[in-house]
Amino acid sequence: MREQAIEAGGRCHARDDCVGDGRWGRSDTSPDGSTWTASAAGTFDASNRAKYNEVTPTAGMTGVNFVRFQILGNQTPDFLTNCPDGNFSGCSFADLTELEVFGQPSL
């Protein structure tokens, strides 16, 4: 695996105004589905929405047969103040549109 592309914007819902910054999460890779290596982690802001964002892994790039992604936060501004009654769908869930993985097939 040489690269990942993440479309982390999710979808804006009727009650959202789609503002704020947020931690996107972490991707892990594995050769066997049991042993995992943290591959990449970071944050996105509003400028990263609705497009693929290239992420270069820092570890776990060889012999990859499995990739998992964990959403570690959302883009709800001031979560403690705006939730649970705020006008943001991030108060009740977080989503990811797509994760793409690029590289040569593992043998």
Side-chain angles (χ1 to χ4, degrees):
M1 178 181 65
R2 64 175 162 72
E3 182 179 75
Q4 299 172 10
I6 300 168
E7 208 284 77
R11 294 292 172 243
C12 297
H13 300 278
R15 60 182 222 182
D16 277 345
D17 62 5
C18 293
V19 299
D21 299 341
R23 185 171 174 185
W24 61 263
R26 182 180 88 202
S27 63
D28 303 323
T29 60
S30 174
D32 58 14
S34 296
T35 305
W36 295 92
T37 300
S39 174
T43 59
F44 286 147
D45 63 25
S47 69
N48 299 108
R49 289 195 191 115
K51 67 179 183 178
Y52 291 103
N53 300 279
E54 295 178 1
V55 176
T56 301
T58 58
M61 299 177 351
T62 58
V64 174
N65 290 307
F66 300 90
V67 177
R68 69 181 178 192
F69 188 87
Q70 300 177 58
I71 297 174
L72 300 175
N74 61 40
Q75 294 187 6
T76 303
D78 197 5
F79 190 86
L80 293 176
T81 302
N82 287 312
C83 298
D85 298 322
N87 193 33
F88 303 97
S89 58
C91 291
S92 58
F93 75 94
D95 62 349
L96 173 75
T97 302
E98 191 167 342
L99 168 66
E100 295 181 341
V101 179
F102 301 97
Q104 299 298 317
S106 294
L107 301 176

